Amino acid sequence: MSPLNPPNLPSGAAPSGSRFRAGPVELGGPGFVVMAGPCSIESREQFLEIAQAVKGAGATMLRGGIFKMRTHSHSFQGLGEGAFEIADEVRARTGLPLISEVTDPRQIPDLGEIVDVLQVGARNMYNYELLKELGRSGLPVLVKRAFSATVEEWLAAAEYVRVAGNPQVALCERGIRTFERITRNTLDLSAVAYIKANSDLPVIVDPSHGTGVRALIKPMCLAAAAAGADGILLEVHSKPATALSDGQQALTIEDFREIMRDLKTLLPALGRELHSLPQVPARAGLKPGAKPSLLFAAGTAIPSSGKP
Amino acid sequence: MSPLNPPNLPSGAAPSGSRFRAGPVELGGPGFVVMAGPCSIESREQFLEIAQAVKGAGATMLRGGIFKMRTHSHSFQGLGEGAFEIADEVRARTGLPLISEVTDPRQIPDLGEIVDVLQVGARNMYNYELLKELGRSGLPVLVKRAFSATVEEWLAAAEYVRVAGNPQVALCERGIRTFERITRNTLDLSAVAYIKANSDLPVIVDPSHGTGVRALIKPMCLAAAAAGADGILLEVHSKPATALSDGQQALTIEDFREIMRDLKTLLPALGRELHSLPQVPARAGLKPGAKPSLLFAAGTAIPSSGKP
Amino acid sequence: MSPLNPPNLPSGAAPSGSRFRAGPVELGGPGFVVMAGPCSIESREQFLEIAQAVKGAGATMLRGGIFKMRTHSHSFQGLGEGAFEIADEVRARTGLPLISEVTDPRQIPDLGEIVDVLQVGARNMYNYELLKELGRSGLPVLVKRAFSATVEEWLAAAEYVRVAGNPQVALCERGIRTFERITRNTLDLSAVAYIKANSDLPVIVDPSHGTGVRALIKPMCLAAAAAGADGILLEVHSKPATALSDGQQALTIEDFREIMRDLKTLLPALGRELHSLPQVPARAGLKPGAKPSLLFAAGTAIPSSGKP
Amino acid sequence: MSPLNPPNLPSGAAPSGSRFRAGPVELGGPGFVVMAGPCSIESREQFLEIAQAVKGAGATMLRGGIFKMRTHSHSFQGLGEGAFEIADEVRARTGLPLISEVTDPRQIPDLGEIVDVLQVGARNMYNYELLKELGRSGLPVLVKRAFSATVEEWLAAAEYVRVAGNPQVALCERGIRTFERITRNTLDLSAVAYIKANSDLPVIVDPSHGTGVRALIKPMCLAAAAAGADGILLEVHSKPATALSDGQQALTIEDFREIMRDLKTLLPALGRELHSLPQVPARAGLKPGAKPSLLFAAGTAIPSSGKP
């Protein structure tokens, strides 16, 4: 069951069938997934503008932080519950599934109603109590690699979710800490290749945090695809200079379009293609004051027939 | 208020008065504190035997894991609530205050009744929701450094507890991740010297995890004292070979006695001395089935008179 | 002149025209260069067999260690001068230019007669006396990144060669040291993207040392190309299991052919193509006992007309 | 003969008798050695003033850079041969043996006449050709640890000197590269304890480079002694603010006196004492223009009788 054969990696024979759906999107399948959006949801206008722009450029999933993990207690910590209605409306209007971070087990029930993938941030990769609760939740989970987690530890973190009964887990490489100072982190693409060869888990790459340098994001998106990643997670902002968090590494809309163009050229040479969304009518947003409801069948396991 | 002057460390002028008590023990004062005991509480007999032995050798605080954070979901995870009565009895019989790890905000109320210092493990240093709850609890807290946390991040983690209203916070250096493979981690004693020079937080050093090699623990205890640490945290086991966790780095009782002897010689040359406990009669343990109660006034703030 | 604007990287405006020739091969031009061969030249038969095989598969340059840098004084240190005739003959028979490591300034005159590119190994990147001599030699130089060199230091090492009068310098990323243990090193492709964006130096990637794991070499070759590298350097052996050095990371001939096939598909999607060699008749080898002579005009500067 | 038992460290039984003399100073014996002086010899006045001051404060050996290894080719590279007469005169007038760095095998004959210990810098630890020549020279050698050398590699570098016939080798820990940014390097004192437990090589600690922060040098000197080091190597300058290299980490004369005072208190508690020099009359310096001559019997092996 485990991708590991402790204490020596790996078992070789990867279990099959771990690809899964988050709303209309399949992770770990042949389609290359592009998750894009702002670091944090800052306002209705900001999130809607960016969401529509990334959708127009071909993104398959929307990102947007609601609860933020910040080093300093005095930094902007996200809008929290104040972003729930915004998130729900924008998700409905664009038809894009939403990924957002969960930072406390007690957030899972509410957050699970408005997001399609619950992200475990790098700082919480070792938070096993959170991972176990996510395992019990049955919702799709993306586990980011901790700042200096070994690949063995990272796979073992995903295993905490699986062992608790939830097979819908993907990993996200977001750079590791090294002595190097020109980049915020060192993006470890060999780890991506290793996991694709030795486990069945989908792997997403985050070059925004992985480099922290706008000019390096495009080449690292292409390199991530070439290394075998199943998708990328990107910070995009309509006005990076005024972003409340991580502005220095946010792509502009135009940067993002250029990356999409290049990926469309590159992926076929790798035997893959961009994940495309079904043409569904945009959903109406919530009425003001309405309680968020489950619009997508988030986290539906893909049965052996392949039918969602 | 913050020990940091972002973005450039440090403010220089350290706030005074951050020393605090955990039961009869003062952290951050002139006395050098020795916390010792097994990695995990495994049974009543095991914990009582080790506790009495380390007390006899001069330890000032008892350690014993109740909830364990283990990389693999299939490893021994501690006795959990099953260790509550054991912990309470052994603490009462030895008269030693107890430090143990908290891994979930929901454990704080119960754990707070039987332990005198709540330890935040390296894996949870970035778990800000847990730190905030500990801030609200008012209980003494020891924050271990994460595997690759910068000193700035580590100080900022302690700040989450303080900002939530709890000044009773100490730090614990337990080694960082590097490329070196002869030791489990690289013990970073310059970080200890840095924090002593630039903040008012008590700093404890854990050479057991910091090296992971039994033969290196004694020299690193002495070096920690020389670098300015306020105490050490040690794994001691009566039968290391059969310990359920971390046996390879556990000291034997005899190893521990030798370290205590050497510290007694060394500390006066550094202008310090071993913290001594008041001679109090050993307390009776709980009657079987009794609810744990607050035996020590854990976390009493030290008034300006300095009298406990 | 310098790619750096100390103390803050980088100058932005990259000097043009730093591409250069090593025999019939151009480094830093539009053609993607593939350097392949054994870690060490072990015998005439071994080197000739591998050289012909990699040529047949499309390699554009031959690698083969003559002087080896080994951690332990008792390990195989290369054939040294005993490999000169072998190297010269195989280079002549295949028509492939040869890259090999120089480990001492005193080797430069002799080695310069039989190799087309002098490689400075990771262990010698900070050996400034060697770099200065190579600067004076006027021969093409490839500077590998030291185990934990910052990009700034690595560019500054290349600058030692340039300042001494030799513009024919390329860099080689070969992985850095991190805490990760599944790979021998962590291949840092963001550094490649950074250097391509901020300097004019050609950059080659060595996924053999960069990962140390045979199964990861192909995906990292493709990722290197996608990140913008100008070529790759690969260890290939006809019998990896019996190689005298680095056998565990050597590709088989068949592995190598597969990589070449995939690169031929990938590169056009990146706007590049494999460097092809002019169809020249294979040269006759040296007669036994003859002194090595300069067969290629190694290191011919490319005039502004761009004509070799 | 080797301190290593490859592939698994260590042999346990350390060979005895590897302590050796450099002039009147014994390395690896009971006396704790203090090497102090400026990063670089800048002028006769500067070096003489500092040398006399550190001698007055109790230093047992003088340091002073002649050939410098600098990251950037445009930085001050030391006075080179221009410092030979200054070095010789100051060494003669103070009676202190001198340690200085060798950066090229071709410097050994001349440098060997005016220095008592040849230092291999961190950047040259893997320069095996240099180590072999030093092995053949028979002169005392101090091998600094490379920026990210494993302990195994570091011991193996010393082995290159020994295998070439020179048993007079000591090691110097000078900090390793990590992600931490408050210190220039992370001083690895567990490596010191490890080597003292598992090899017979004397180990010196350099807290000046090891931290790069003046305020941390004193506590790390004390911690180094407590960890078992045989001595320390310190950068001291009479005017740190105007030093041509490394001024930010240079101790003032007063800082240095304070460290010496504290060491005199600390060492007896560790069962050691400061190495004291025999009371010899200061030697006259060279006459201007005279060729440097061998004033000390540098590197005399200590016979079993213990008589130099």
Side-chain angles (χ1 to χ4, degrees):
Chain A
M1 182 65 62
S2 162
L4 297 178
N5 226 4
N8 291 317
L9 301 166
S11 70
S16 61
S18 76
R19 61 165 88 171
F20 62 91
R21 283 202 168 273
V25 172
E26 186 188 26
L27 279 92
F32 188 82
V33 173
V34 178
M35 305 169 173
C39 177
S40 303
I41 298 178
E42 301 172 11
S43 71
R44 184 183 171 282
E45 289 64 33
Q46 172 251 18
F47 193 44
L48 185 58
E49 178 185 5
I50 298 171
Q52 288 174 328
V54 299
K55 186 185 182 186
T60 34
M61 198 176 293
L62 191 56
R63 64 157 288 159
I66 293 172
F67 299 102
K68 300 300 297 176
M69 301 283 277
R70 305 300 299 277
T71 299
H72 293 286
S73 49
H74 49 77
S75 302
F76 174 61
Q77 310 259 330
L79 295 182
E81 298 183 10
F84 282 7
E85 279 195 35
I86 299 169
D88 196 61
E89 180 192 341
V90 172
R91 177 170 163 263
R93 288 181 61 160
T94 58
L96 291 179
L98 177 64
I99 177 169
S100 196
E101 183 169 353
V102 57
T103 65
D104 187 316
R106 296 166 292 191
Q107 296 159 354
I108 298 175
D110 284 350
L111 214 49
E113 293 204 31
I114 54 165
V115 307
D116 303 89
V117 180
L118 288 158
Q119 176 184 310
V120 177
R123 290 175 175 83
N124 272 321
M125 192 205 88
Y126 298 109
N127 185 345
Y128 301 135
E129 301 304 328
L130 177 61
L131 294 169
K132 287 178 202 167
E133 291 274 7
L134 288 166
R136 286 186 283 265
S137 78
L139 298 166
V141 176
L142 183 78
V143 180
K144 285 195 149 189
R145 185 181 188 179
F147 300 153
S148 65
T150 63
V151 167
E152 182 183 355
E153 290 174 334
W154 190 20
L155 289 169
E159 199 66 8
Y160 267 96
V161 180
R162 288 188 177 196
V163 161
N166 184 356
Q168 302 183 114
V169 193
L171 299 176
C172 179
E173 160 65 23
R174 43 80 68 210
I176 56 171
R177 288 223 163 135
T178 69
F179 55 85
E180 182 55 76
R181 307 191 178 198
I182 55 160
T183 44
R184 184 172 169 186
N185 294 290
T186 298
L187 195 65
D188 182 6
L189 294 181
S190 359
V192 174
Y194 180 89
I195 292 171
K196 293 307 295 177
N198 292 289
S199 96
D200 66 330
L201 293 166
V203 184
I204 304 298
V205 171
D206 174 354
S208 299
H209 288 87
T211 66
V213 179
R214 191 176 298 132
L216 304 184
I217 295 176
K218 187 174 86 171
M220 297 318 284
C221 286
L222 304 182
D230 296 297
I232 48 177
L233 177 63
L234 292 171
E235 290 188 352
V236 179
H237 202 285
S238 46
K239 302 181 190 68
T242 60
L244 293 183
S245 51
D246 279 351
Q248 81 292 344
Q249 71 195 27
L251 298 166
T252 63
I253 306 294
E254 186 44 48
D255 293 332
F256 180 66
R257 286 195 192 107
E258 188 181 325
I259 289 172
M260 294 302 289
R261 278 195 298 268
D262 285 4
L263 280 172
K264 274 174 205 152
T265 305
L266 179 70
L267 286 165
L270 297 163
R272 300 191 78 155
E273 55 186 24
L274 270 176
H275 193 297
S276 61
L277 288 178
Q279 291 305 316
V280 289
R283 294 163 299 155
L286 284 178
K287 290 196 210 81
K291 192 173 170 343
S293 61
L294 193 60
L295 297 176
F296 276 120
T300 314
I302 300 173
S304 54
S305 70
K307 208 164 42 107
Chain B
M1 182 66 63
S2 162
L4 297 178
N5 226 1
N8 289 318
L9 301 167
S11 72
S16 61
S18 76
R19 61 165 88 170
F20 62 89
R21 283 202 168 274
V25 172
E26 186 188 27
L27 278 93
F32 188 83
V33 174
V34 178
M35 306 168 171
C39 177
S40 304
I41 297 178
E42 300 172 11
S43 70
R44 185 183 170 281
E45 289 64 35
Q46 173 250 17
F47 194 44
L48 186 57
E49 177 185 6
I50 297 171
Q52 288 174 329
V54 299
K55 187 187 181 185
T60 35
M61 198 177 290
L62 191 56
R63 65 157 287 160
I66 293 171
F67 299 102
K68 302 300 298 175
M69 302 283 278
R70 304 302 299 278
T71 299
H72 293 286
S73 50
H74 50 76
S75 301
F76 174 61
Q77 310 258 331
L79 294 182
E81 298 182 10
F84 281 8
E85 280 195 34
I86 299 169
D88 196 62
E89 179 192 341
V90 171
R91 176 169 164 263
R93 288 183 60 160
T94 57
L96 290 178
L98 178 64
I99 178 169
S100 196
E101 182 168 353
V102 56
T103 63
D104 188 316
R106 296 167 292 190
Q107 296 159 354
I108 298 175
D110 284 348
L111 213 49
E113 294 203 31
I114 53 164
V115 306
D116 302 89
V117 180
L118 288 158
Q119 177 186 308
V120 176
R123 290 176 176 81
N124 271 320
M125 192 205 88
Y126 298 109
N127 184 345
Y128 301 134
E129 301 303 329
L130 177 61
L131 294 169
K132 287 178 202 167
E133 292 272 8
L134 288 166
R136 288 187 282 265
S137 78
L139 298 166
V141 176
L142 183 78
V143 180
K144 286 195 148 189
R145 184 180 188 178
F147 299 154
S148 66
T150 64
V151 167
E152 182 183 355
E153 290 174 334
W154 190 19
L155 289 168
E159 200 66 7
Y160 266 97
V161 180
R162 288 187 176 198
V163 161
N166 184 357
Q168 304 183 113
V169 192
L171 300 175
C172 179
E173 159 65 24
R174 45 78 69 212
I176 55 172
R177 291 225 161 133
T178 69
F179 56 84
E180 181 55 75
R181 308 195 176 195
I182 56 161
T183 45
R184 184 171 168 186
N185 293 290
T186 297
L187 195 65
D188 181 5
L189 293 180
S190 1
V192 174
Y194 180 89
I195 292 170
K196 293 307 294 179
N198 293 289
S199 96
D200 66 330
L201 293 167
V203 184
I204 304 299
V205 171
D206 174 354
S208 299
H209 288 87
T211 65
V213 179
R214 193 176 295 133
L216 303 185
I217 295 176
K218 187 174 86 169
M220 298 319 283
C221 286
L222 304 181
D230 296 297
I232 48 177
L233 176 63
L234 293 171
E235 289 188 353
V236 179
H237 203 284
S238 47
K239 301 183 191 66
T242 60
L244 294 182
S245 52
D246 279 351
Q248 80 293 346
Q249 72 195 27
L251 299 165
T252 64
I253 305 294
E254 186 44 48
D255 293 333
F256 179 65
R257 287 196 191 106
E258 189 182 324
I259 289 172
M260 294 303 287
R261 278 195 298 269
D262 285 3
L263 279 172
K264 275 173 204 151
T265 304
L266 180 69
L267 287 166
L270 296 163
R272 301 192 76 156
E273 55 185 26
L274 269 176
H275 193 298
S276 63
L277 288 178
Q279 291 304 316
V280 290
R283 294 162 299 155
L286 285 177
K287 291 197 210 81
K291 189 172 173 344
S293 63
L294 193 60
L295 297 176
F296 278 119
T300 313
I302 299 173
S304 55
S305 70
K307 212 165 40 110
Chain C
M1 182 64 65
S2 162
L4 297 178
N5 226 3
N8 291 317
L9 301 167
S11 71
S16 60
S18 75
R19 60 164 90 170
F20 62 91
R21 283 203 168 271
V25 172
E26 186 188 27
L27 280 92
F32 188 82
V33 173
V34 179
M35 307 169 173
C39 177
S40 304
I41 298 179
E42 300 171 10
S43 70
R44 184 183 172 283
E45 289 64 33
Q46 172 251 18
F47 194 44
L48 186 57
E49 178 185 5
I50 297 170
Q52 289 174 328
V54 299
K55 186 185 182 186
T60 35
M61 197 176 293
L62 191 56
R63 65 158 288 160
I66 293 171
F67 298 102
K68 300 300 298 176
M69 302 283 278
R70 304 301 299 277
T71 299
H72 294 286
S73 49
H74 49 76
S75 301
F76 174 62
Q77 310 260 330
L79 294 182
E81 298 182 10
F84 282 7
E85 281 195 35
I86 299 168
D88 196 61
E89 180 192 341
V90 171
R91 177 170 164 262
R93 288 182 61 161
T94 57
L96 290 179
L98 177 63
I99 177 168
S100 196
E101 183 169 353
V102 56
T103 64
D104 187 317
R106 296 167 291 191
Q107 296 159 355
I108 297 174
D110 284 349
L111 213 49
E113 293 204 30
I114 54 165
V115 307
D116 303 89
V117 180
L118 288 157
Q119 177 185 309
V120 176
R123 290 175 176 82
N124 272 321
M125 191 205 89
Y126 298 109
N127 185 344
Y128 301 134
E129 302 304 328
L130 176 61
L131 294 169
K132 287 178 202 167
E133 292 274 6
L134 288 166
R136 288 186 283 266
S137 78
L139 297 166
V141 176
L142 183 77
V143 180
K144 286 195 148 188
R145 184 181 189 178
F147 299 153
S148 65
T150 62
V151 167
E152 182 183 356
E153 290 174 334
W154 190 20
L155 289 168
E159 199 67 7
Y160 267 96
V161 180
R162 288 188 176 197
V163 161
N166 184 357
Q168 303 182 115
V169 193
L171 300 175
C172 178
E173 159 65 24
R174 43 79 69 212
I176 55 171
R177 289 223 164 136
T178 69
F179 56 84
E180 182 55 74
R181 307 191 177 197
I182 55 160
T183 44
R184 184 172 169 186
N185 294 290
T186 297
L187 195 66
D188 181 7
L189 294 181
S190 359
V192 174
Y194 180 89
I195 292 170
K196 293 307 294 178
N198 292 290
S199 97
D200 65 330
L201 292 166
V203 184
I204 305 297
V205 172
D206 173 355
S208 298
H209 289 87
T211 65
V213 179
R214 192 176 297 133
L216 304 184
I217 295 175
K218 187 175 85 170
M220 298 318 284
C221 285
L222 304 182
D230 295 297
I232 49 177
L233 177 62
L234 292 170
E235 289 187 353
V236 179
H237 203 285
S238 46
K239 301 182 190 68
T242 61
L244 293 183
S245 51
D246 280 350
Q248 81 291 345
Q249 71 195 27
L251 299 165
T252 63
I253 305 294
E254 185 45 48
D255 293 331
F256 179 67
R257 287 195 192 108
E258 188 181 325
I259 289 172
M260 294 302 288
R261 279 195 298 268
D262 285 4
L263 280 172
K264 274 174 205 153
T265 305
L266 180 69
L267 286 165
L270 297 162
R272 299 192 78 155
E273 55 186 25
L274 270 176
H275 193 297
S276 62
L277 288 178
Q279 292 304 316
V280 290
R283 295 162 301 154
L286 285 178
K287 290 196 210 80
K291 190 172 172 344
S293 61
L294 193 59
L295 298 176
F296 276 120
T300 313
I302 299 170
S304 54
S305 69
K307 211 166 41 110
Chain D
M1 180 67 61
S2 162
L4 296 178
N5 226 2
N8 289 317
L9 300 167
S11 71
S16 61
S18 75
R19 60 166 88 171
F20 62 90
R21 284 201 168 274
V25 172
E26 186 188 26
L27 279 93
F32 188 83
V33 174
V34 179
M35 307 169 171
C39 177
S40 303
I41 297 178
E42 300 172 11
S43 70
R44 185 183 171 282
E45 290 63 35
Q46 173 249 19
F47 193 44
L48 186 57
E49 178 185 5
I50 297 171
Q52 288 174 328
V54 299
K55 187 186 181 186
T60 35
M61 198 177 291
L62 191 56
R63 65 158 287 160
I66 293 171
F67 299 102
K68 302 300 298 175
M69 301 282 278
R70 304 302 299 278
T71 299
H72 294 286
S73 50
H74 49 76
S75 302
F76 174 61
Q77 310 258 330
L79 295 182
E81 298 182 10
F84 281 8
E85 281 195 34
I86 299 169
D88 197 61
E89 180 192 341
V90 171
R91 176 169 164 262
R93 287 182 60 160
T94 57
L96 290 178
L98 178 64
I99 178 169
S100 197
E101 182 168 353
V102 57
T103 63
D104 187 316
R106 296 166 292 191
Q107 297 159 353
I108 297 175
D110 284 349
L111 213 50
E113 294 204 31
I114 53 164
V115 307
D116 302 90
V117 180
L118 289 157
Q119 177 185 307
V120 177
R123 289 175 175 82
N124 271 321
M125 193 205 87
Y126 298 109
N127 184 345
Y128 301 134
E129 301 305 327
L130 177 61
L131 294 169
K132 287 178 201 166
E133 291 274 7
L134 288 166
R136 288 187 281 265
S137 78
L139 297 166
V141 176
L142 183 77
V143 180
K144 285 195 148 188
R145 184 181 188 178
F147 300 154
S148 65
T150 63
V151 167
E152 182 182 356
E153 290 174 333
W154 191 18
L155 289 168
E159 199 66 8
Y160 267 96
V161 180
R162 288 187 176 197
V163 161
N166 184 358
Q168 304 183 113
V169 192
L171 300 175
C172 179
E173 160 65 23
R174 45 77 71 212
I176 55 172
R177 290 223 162 135
T178 69
F179 56 84
E180 181 55 74
R181 307 194 176 195
I182 56 161
T183 45
R184 184 171 168 186
N185 293 290
T186 297
L187 195 66
D188 182 6
L189 294 181
S190 0
V192 174
Y194 180 89
I195 291 170
K196 293 307 294 178
N198 293 290
S199 96
D200 66 329
L201 293 166
V203 184
I204 305 298
V205 171
D206 174 354
S208 299
H209 288 87
T211 65
V213 179
R214 192 177 296 134
L216 303 185
I217 295 176
K218 187 174 85 169
M220 298 318 283
C221 286
L222 305 181
D230 295 298
I232 49 178
L233 177 63
L234 292 170
E235 290 188 353
V236 179
H237 203 284
S238 46
K239 302 182 190 68
T242 60
L244 294 183
S245 51
D246 278 351
Q248 80 293 346
Q249 71 195 27
L251 298 165
T252 63
I253 306 294
E254 186 45 47
D255 293 332
F256 180 65
R257 287 195 192 106
E258 189 182 324
I259 289 172
M260 293 302 287
R261 278 195 298 269
D262 285 4
L263 279 173
K264 275 173 204 150
T265 304
L266 180 69
L267 286 165
L270 296 163
R272 300 192 77 156
E273 55 186 25
L274 270 176
H275 194 297
S276 62
L277 288 178
Q279 291 304 316
V280 290
R283 295 162 299 154
L286 284 178
K287 291 195 209 82
K291 188 172 174 345
S293 62
L294 192 60
L295 297 176
F296 278 119
T300 314
I302 300 172
S304 55
S305 71
K307 211 164 42 107

